[in-house]
PDB file of all heavy atoms in Angstrom:
ATOM      1  N   THR G 672     154.324 108.184  71.085  1.00 96.00           N
ATOM      2  CA  THR G 672     154.215 108.938  72.351  1.00 96.00           C
ATOM      3  C   THR G 672     155.579 109.007  73.001  1.00 96.00           C
ATOM      4  O   THR G 672     156.283 108.008  73.016  1.00 96.00           O
ATOM      5  CB  THR G 672     153.259 108.197  73.336  1.00 96.00           C
ATOM      6  OG1 THR G 672     152.002 107.973  72.684  1.00 96.00           O
ATOM      7  CG2 THR G 672     153.034 109.033  74.575  1.00 96.00           C
ATOM      8  N   TRP G 673     155.941 110.206  73.542  1.00 95.00           N
ATOM      9  CA  TRP G 673     157.159 110.307  74.331  1.00 95.00           C
ATOM     10  C   TRP G 673     156.892 111.257  75.430  1.00 95.00           C
ATOM     11  O   TRP G 673     156.519 112.425  75.231  1.00 95.00           O
ATOM     12  CB  TRP G 673     158.356 110.739  73.487  1.00 95.00           C
ATOM     13  CG  TRP G 673     159.560 110.754  74.332  1.00 95.00           C
ATOM     14  CD1 TRP G 673     160.205 111.823  74.842  1.00 95.00           C
ATOM     15  CD2 TRP G 673     160.265 109.634  74.795  1.00 95.00           C
ATOM     16  NE1 TRP G 673     161.297 111.455  75.613  1.00 95.00           N
ATOM     17  CE2 TRP G 673     161.336 110.049  75.607  1.00 95.00           C
ATOM     18  CE3 TRP G 673     160.136 108.223  74.631  1.00 95.00           C
ATOM     19  CZ2 TRP G 673     162.201 109.188  76.233  1.00 95.00           C
ATOM     20  CZ3 TRP G 673     161.014 107.401  75.231  1.00 95.00           C
ATOM     21  CH2 TRP G 673     162.041 107.914  76.029  1.00 95.00           C
ATOM     22  N   LYS G 674     157.126 110.826  76.715  1.00 95.00           N
ATOM     23  CA  LYS G 674     156.973 111.686  77.883  1.00 95.00           C
ATOM     24  C   LYS G 674     158.376 111.968  78.393  1.00 95.00           C
ATOM     25  O   LYS G 674     158.938 111.186  79.147  1.00 95.00           O
ATOM     26  CB  LYS G 674     156.155 110.968  78.925  1.00 95.00           C
ATOM     27  CG  LYS G 674     154.701 110.677  78.400  1.00 95.00           C
ATOM     28  CD  LYS G 674     153.880 110.061  79.513  1.00 95.00           C
ATOM     29  CE  LYS G 674     152.496 109.801  78.989  1.00 95.00           C
ATOM     30  NZ  LYS G 674     151.601 110.864  79.035  1.00 95.00           N
ATOM     31  N   ASP G 675     158.925 113.105  78.004  1.00 92.00           N
ATOM     32  CA  ASP G 675     160.294 113.476  78.334  1.00 92.00           C
ATOM     33  C   ASP G 675     160.511 113.548  79.843  1.00 92.00           C
ATOM     34  O   ASP G 675     161.523 113.130  80.345  1.00 92.00           O
ATOM     35  CB  ASP G 675     160.604 114.835  77.676  1.00 92.00           C
ATOM     36  CG  ASP G 675     162.055 114.914  77.210  1.00 92.00           C
ATOM     37  OD1 ASP G 675     162.662 113.846  76.973  1.00 92.00           O
ATOM     38  OD2 ASP G 675     162.547 115.988  77.050  1.00 92.00           O
ATOM     39  N   ASP G 676     159.537 114.105  80.524  1.00 94.00           N
ATOM     40  CA  ASP G 676     159.631 114.221  81.994  1.00 94.00           C
ATOM     41  C   ASP G 676     159.709 112.899  82.729  1.00 94.00           C
ATOM     42  O   ASP G 676     160.242 112.803  83.839  1.00 94.00           O
ATOM     43  CB  ASP G 676     158.518 115.149  82.559  1.00 94.00           C
ATOM     44  CG  ASP G 676     157.141 114.611  82.257  1.00 94.00           C
ATOM     45  OD1 ASP G 676     156.945 113.952  81.167  1.00 94.00           O
ATOM     46  OD2 ASP G 676     156.241 114.791  83.053  1.00 94.00           O
ATOM     47  N   LYS G 677     159.152 111.856  82.143  1.00 95.00           N
ATOM     48  CA  LYS G 677     159.137 110.559  82.763  1.00 95.00           C
ATOM     49  C   LYS G 677     160.146 109.581  82.104  1.00 95.00           C
ATOM     50  O   LYS G 677     160.428 108.521  82.688  1.00 95.00           O
ATOM     51  CB  LYS G 677     157.733 109.970  82.649  1.00 95.00           C
ATOM     52  CG  LYS G 677     156.714 110.844  83.388  1.00 95.00           C
ATOM     53  CD  LYS G 677     155.577 110.084  83.934  1.00 95.00           C
ATOM     54  CE  LYS G 677     154.636 111.065  84.546  1.00 95.00           C
ATOM     55  NZ  LYS G 677     154.265 110.765  85.878  1.00 95.00           N
ATOM     56  N   GLY G 678     160.629 109.956  80.940  1.00 92.00           N
ATOM     57  CA  GLY G 678     161.677 109.134  80.271  1.00 92.00           C
ATOM     58  C   GLY G 678     161.134 107.850  79.611  1.00 92.00           C
ATOM     59  O   GLY G 678     161.865 106.887  79.505  1.00 92.00           O
ATOM     60  N   PHE G 679     159.887 107.890  79.102  1.00 94.00           N
ATOM     61  CA  PHE G 679     159.395 106.691  78.390  1.00 94.00           C
ATOM     62  C   PHE G 679     158.460 107.133  77.344  1.00 94.00           C
ATOM     63  O   PHE G 679     157.910 108.253  77.323  1.00 94.00           O
ATOM     64  CB  PHE G 679     158.790 105.673  79.333  1.00 94.00           C
ATOM     65  CG  PHE G 679     157.465 106.101  79.890  1.00 94.00           C
ATOM     66  CD1 PHE G 679     156.284 105.803  79.235  1.00 94.00           C
ATOM     67  CD2 PHE G 679     157.354 106.746  81.094  1.00 94.00           C
ATOM     68  CE1 PHE G 679     155.053 106.141  79.721  1.00 94.00           C
ATOM     69  CE2 PHE G 679     156.118 107.095  81.615  1.00 94.00           C
ATOM     70  CZ  PHE G 679     154.943 106.829  80.916  1.00 94.00           C
ATOM     71  N   GLY G 680     158.166 106.161  76.461  1.00 95.00           N
ATOM     72  CA  GLY G 680     157.127 106.380  75.386  1.00 95.00           C
ATOM     73  C   GLY G 680     156.731 105.069  74.803  1.00 95.00           C
ATOM     74  O   GLY G 680     157.056 103.978  75.378  1.00 95.00           O
ATOM     75  N   PHE G 681     156.009 105.090  73.671  1.00 96.00           N
ATOM     76  CA  PHE G 681     155.514 103.898  73.025  1.00 96.00           C
ATOM     77  C   PHE G 681     155.775 103.944  71.553  1.00 96.00           C
ATOM     78  O   PHE G 681     155.643 104.982  70.894  1.00 96.00           O
ATOM     79  CB  PHE G 681     154.027 103.736  73.281  1.00 96.00           C
ATOM     80  CG  PHE G 681     153.689 103.461  74.701  1.00 96.00           C
ATOM     81  CD1 PHE G 681     153.431 104.517  75.584  1.00 96.00           C
ATOM     82  CD2 PHE G 681     153.662 102.205  75.185  1.00 96.00           C
ATOM     83  CE1 PHE G 681     153.139 104.235  76.921  1.00 96.00           C
ATOM     84  CE2 PHE G 681     153.390 101.924  76.482  1.00 96.00           C
ATOM     85  CZ  PHE G 681     153.150 102.940  77.351  1.00 96.00           C
ATOM     86  N   ILE G 682     156.224 102.783  71.011  1.00 96.00           N
ATOM     87  CA  ILE G 682     156.458 102.598  69.621  1.00 96.00           C
ATOM     88  C   ILE G 682     155.278 101.818  69.065  1.00 96.00           C
ATOM     89  O   ILE G 682     154.881 100.762  69.592  1.00 96.00           O
ATOM     90  CB  ILE G 682     157.762 101.759  69.369  1.00 96.00           C
ATOM     91  CG1 ILE G 682     158.933 102.410  70.057  1.00 96.00           C
ATOM     92  CG2 ILE G 682     157.947 101.528  67.880  1.00 96.00           C
ATOM     93  CD1 ILE G 682     160.162 101.524  70.139  1.00 96.00           C
ATOM     94  N   ARG G 683     154.719 102.286  67.959  1.00 96.00           N
ATOM     95  CA  ARG G 683     153.688 101.586  67.227  1.00 96.00           C
ATOM     96  C   ARG G 683     154.380 100.712  66.181  1.00 96.00           C
ATOM     97  O   ARG G 683     155.137 101.271  65.331  1.00 96.00           O
ATOM     98  CB  ARG G 683     152.683 102.489  66.580  1.00 96.00           C
ATOM     99  CG  ARG G 683     151.719 101.916  65.535  1.00 96.00           C
ATOM    100  CD  ARG G 683     150.648 100.998  66.110  1.00 96.00           C
ATOM    101  NE  ARG G 683     149.947 101.521  67.273  1.00 96.00           N
ATOM    102  CZ  ARG G 683     148.767 102.125  67.291  1.00 96.00           C
ATOM    103  NH1 ARG G 683     148.159 102.334  66.152  1.00 96.00           N
ATOM    104  NH2 ARG G 683     148.204 102.477  68.410  1.00 96.00           N
ATOM    105  N   SER G 684     154.237  99.398  66.260  1.00 94.00           N
ATOM    106  CA  SER G 684     154.894  98.534  65.288  1.00 94.00           C
ATOM    107  C   SER G 684     154.461  98.864  63.901  1.00 94.00           C
ATOM    108  O   SER G 684     153.419  99.395  63.651  1.00 94.00           O
ATOM    109  CB  SER G 684     154.588  97.030  65.628  1.00 94.00           C
ATOM    110  OG  SER G 684     153.168  96.801  65.484  1.00 94.00           O
ATOM    111  N   SER G 685     155.400  98.585  62.955  1.00 93.00           N
ATOM    112  CA  SER G 685     155.102  98.948  61.534  1.00 93.00           C
ATOM    113  C   SER G 685     153.865  98.314  60.971  1.00 93.00           C
ATOM    114  O   SER G 685     153.206  98.830  60.069  1.00 93.00           O
ATOM    115  CB  SER G 685     156.347  98.655  60.672  1.00 93.00           C
ATOM    116  OG  SER G 685     156.610  97.283  60.715  1.00 93.00           O
ATOM    117  N   ASP G 686     153.471  97.149  61.468  1.00 91.00           N
ATOM    118  CA  ASP G 686     152.259  96.516  61.015  1.00 91.00           C
ATOM    119  C   ASP G 686     151.036  96.980  61.744  1.00 91.00           C
ATOM    120  O   ASP G 686     149.905  96.592  61.467  1.00 91.00           O
ATOM    121  CB  ASP G 686     152.344  94.970  61.065  1.00 91.00           C
ATOM    122  CG  ASP G 686     152.501  94.416  62.479  1.00 91.00           C
ATOM    123  OD1 ASP G 686     152.466  95.216  63.489  1.00 91.00           O
ATOM    124  OD2 ASP G 686     152.701  93.246  62.570  1.00 91.00           O
ATOM    125  N   GLY G 687     151.250  97.860  62.757  1.00 90.00           N
ATOM    126  CA  GLY G 687     150.141  98.525  63.484  1.00 90.00           C
ATOM    127  C   GLY G 687     149.413  97.580  64.509  1.00 90.00           C
ATOM    128  O   GLY G 687     148.375  97.985  65.010  1.00 90.00           O
ATOM    129  N   THR G 688     149.987  96.438  64.791  1.00 90.00           N
ATOM    130  CA  THR G 688     149.273  95.496  65.682  1.00 90.00           C
ATOM    131  C   THR G 688     149.657  95.641  67.120  1.00 90.00           C
ATOM    132  O   THR G 688     149.015  95.037  67.999  1.00 90.00           O
ATOM    133  CB  THR G 688     149.572  94.037  65.239  1.00 90.00           C
ATOM    134  OG1 THR G 688     150.967  93.834  65.346  1.00 90.00           O
ATOM    135  CG2 THR G 688     149.052  93.788  63.851  1.00 90.00           C
ATOM    136  N   GLN G 689     150.688  96.459  67.432  1.00 90.00           N
ATOM    137  CA  GLN G 689     151.208  96.423  68.776  1.00 90.00           C
ATOM    138  C   GLN G 689     151.841  97.792  69.168  1.00 90.00           C
ATOM    139  O   GLN G 689     152.516  98.387  68.330  1.00 90.00           O
ATOM    140  CB  GLN G 689     152.254  95.332  68.884  1.00 90.00           C
ATOM    141  CG  GLN G 689     152.773  95.015  70.248  1.00 90.00           C
ATOM    142  CD  GLN G 689     153.709  93.792  70.140  1.00 90.00           C
ATOM    143  OE1 GLN G 689     154.536  93.677  69.269  1.00 90.00           O
ATOM    144  NE2 GLN G 689     153.566  92.908  71.081  1.00 90.00           N
ATOM    145  N   ASP G 690     151.547  98.198  70.349  1.00 95.00           N
ATOM    146  CA  ASP G 690     152.285  99.355  70.970  1.00 95.00           C
ATOM    147  C   ASP G 690     153.270  98.787  71.931  1.00 95.00           C
ATOM    148  O   ASP G 690     152.937  98.049  72.821  1.00 95.00           O
ATOM    149  CB  ASP G 690     151.307 100.301  71.674  1.00 95.00           C
ATOM    150  CG  ASP G 690     150.538 101.116  70.664  1.00 95.00           C
ATOM    151  OD1 ASP G 690     150.931 101.352  69.594  1.00 95.00           O
ATOM    152  OD2 ASP G 690     149.376 101.522  71.039  1.00 95.00           O
ATOM    153  N   VAL G 691     154.554  99.180  71.834  1.00 95.00           N
ATOM    154  CA  VAL G 691     155.631  98.634  72.624  1.00 95.00           C
ATOM    155  C   VAL G 691     156.234  99.711  73.474  1.00 95.00           C
ATOM    156  O   VAL G 691     156.552 100.812  73.009  1.00 95.00           O
ATOM    157  CB  VAL G 691     156.704  98.019  71.676  1.00 95.00           C
ATOM    158  CG1 VAL G 691     157.847  97.474  72.484  1.00 95.00           C
ATOM    159  CG2 VAL G 691     156.108  96.931  70.790  1.00 95.00           C
ATOM    160  N   PHE G 692     156.380  99.410  74.730  1.00 95.00           N
ATOM    161  CA  PHE G 692     156.937 100.353  75.716  1.00 95.00           C
ATOM    162  C   PHE G 692     158.439 100.554  75.438  1.00 95.00           C
ATOM    163  O   PHE G 692     159.175  99.607  75.163  1.00 95.00           O
ATOM    164  CB  PHE G 692     156.818  99.740  77.142  1.00 95.00           C
ATOM    165  CG  PHE G 692     157.369 100.579  78.225  1.00 95.00           C
ATOM    166  CD1 PHE G 692     156.635 101.682  78.745  1.00 95.00           C
ATOM    167  CD2 PHE G 692     158.570 100.308  78.779  1.00 95.00           C
ATOM    168  CE1 PHE G 692     157.155 102.467  79.756  1.00 95.00           C
ATOM    169  CE2 PHE G 692     159.078 101.078  79.826  1.00 95.00           C
ATOM    170  CZ  PHE G 692     158.364 102.159  80.308  1.00 95.00           C
ATOM    171  N   LEU G 693     158.847 101.839  75.507  1.00 94.00           N
ATOM    172  CA  LEU G 693     160.331 102.153  75.321  1.00 94.00           C
ATOM    173  C   LEU G 693     160.766 103.042  76.488  1.00 94.00           C
ATOM    174  O   LEU G 693     160.164 104.131  76.691  1.00 94.00           O
ATOM    175  CB  LEU G 693     160.518 102.899  73.966  1.00 94.00           C
ATOM    176  CG  LEU G 693     161.927 103.411  73.737  1.00 94.00           C
ATOM    177  CD1 LEU G 693     162.922 102.288  73.556  1.00 94.00           C
ATOM    178  CD2 LEU G 693     161.955 104.319  72.508  1.00 94.00           C
ATOM    179  N   HIS G 694     161.756 102.661  77.185  1.00 91.00           N
ATOM    180  CA  HIS G 694     162.286 103.432  78.327  1.00 91.00           C
ATOM    181  C   HIS G 694     163.595 104.065  77.823  1.00 91.00           C
ATOM    182  O   HIS G 694     164.354 103.527  77.090  1.00 91.00           O
ATOM    183  CB  HIS G 694     162.574 102.556  79.550  1.00 91.00           C
ATOM    184  CG  HIS G 694     162.736 103.310  80.781  1.00 91.00           C
ATOM    185  ND1 HIS G 694     164.056 103.721  81.205  1.00 91.00           N
ATOM    186  CD2 HIS G 694     161.882 103.911  81.663  1.00 91.00           C
ATOM    187  CE1 HIS G 694     163.876 104.462  82.313  1.00 91.00           C
ATOM    188  NE2 HIS G 694     162.606 104.566  82.585  1.00 91.00           N
ATOM    189  N   ILE G 695     163.874 105.268  78.418  1.00 90.00           N
ATOM    190  CA  ILE G 695     165.062 106.031  78.037  1.00 90.00           C
ATOM    191  C   ILE G 695     166.368 105.249  78.222  1.00 90.00           C
ATOM    192  O   ILE G 695     167.304 105.388  77.492  1.00 90.00           O
ATOM    193  CB  ILE G 695     165.103 107.390  78.785  1.00 90.00           C
ATOM    194  CG1 ILE G 695     166.155 108.327  78.236  1.00 90.00           C
ATOM    195  CG2 ILE G 695     165.337 107.186  80.240  1.00 90.00           C
ATOM    196  CD1 ILE G 695     165.875 108.888  76.885  1.00 90.00           C
TER     197      ILE G 695
END
């Protein structure tokens, strides 16, 4: 997920166990 207008998104870990917040 990436919300360009808000400057953040989420990374799904390669093992699929966790969604991690990412800020611009």
Side-chain angles (χ1 to χ4, degrees):
T672 306
W673 184 257
K674 297 184 183 276
D675 217 23
D676 58 327
K677 302 211 183 232
F679 73 89
F681 292 91
I682 302 167
R683 169 69 47 97
S684 61
S685 59
D686 63 6
T688 61
Q689 187 174 44
D690 286 334
V691 180
F692 179 81
L693 174 67
H694 194 267
I695 191 72

